[in-house]
Amino acid sequence: MREERQGCAGLLLAAVGAVVAVLVWAPRARVSVHGGFEGMHRDLSVLYVDLPLIAAGGALVPLAAWLLGLRTLRRPWLAAVIAAGALGLGIWGLLSWWTPYERPEFTG
């Protein structure tokens, strides 16, 4: 694989990783954006704090795995498999670890 194509493949993996991470993150953040019952618990900080971090992590994790796999193994298809596995592990970690704060609906 030529170097230009390898670079384009790495950028494509980064873009796909960012989109997939945001799409997986969005249903959990919906409660904070909509506010739950009558919009009382709205927390828009998930949009300007968490969203950029999730997108950056989704882009950087597969890109780093791609570059590391390409440099050590020198096989682009194997580096792509490693990058996809790293993205899968990153998404699994995101789903198992990150949950937005939800205040109780009724406290009285």
Side-chain angles (χ1 to χ4, degrees):
M1 191 180 249
R2 295 174 59 194
E3 288 185 24
E4 294 88 12
R5 289 186 184 176
Q6 289 177 357
C8 289
L11 291 176
L12 181 66
L13 279 170
V16 167
V19 169
V20 168
V22 169
L23 289 177
V24 168
W25 166 84
R28 289 192 174 205
R30 184 182 64 221
V31 173
S32 295
V33 174
H34 288 153
F37 180 70
E38 293 183 353
M40 294 176 58
H41 304 296
R42 181 172 284 182
D43 180 20
L44 295 179
S45 69
V46 296
L47 295 178
Y48 58 84
V49 174
D50 296 342
L51 176 62
L53 292 174
I54 296 297
L60 293 178
V61 166
L63 183 62
W66 163 260
L67 291 174
L68 186 64
L70 197 60
R71 177 165 281 218
T72 58
L73 302 173
R74 301 196 192 273
R75 298 216 186 332
W77 64 271
L78 192 54
V81 169
I82 290 172
L87 178 62
L89 285 174
I91 296 297
W92 172 77
L94 172 68
L95 290 177
S96 64
W97 173 74
W98 186 82
T99 303
Y101 174 71
E102 293 180 28
R103 291 184 290 178
E105 290 289 336
F106 301 103
T107 58

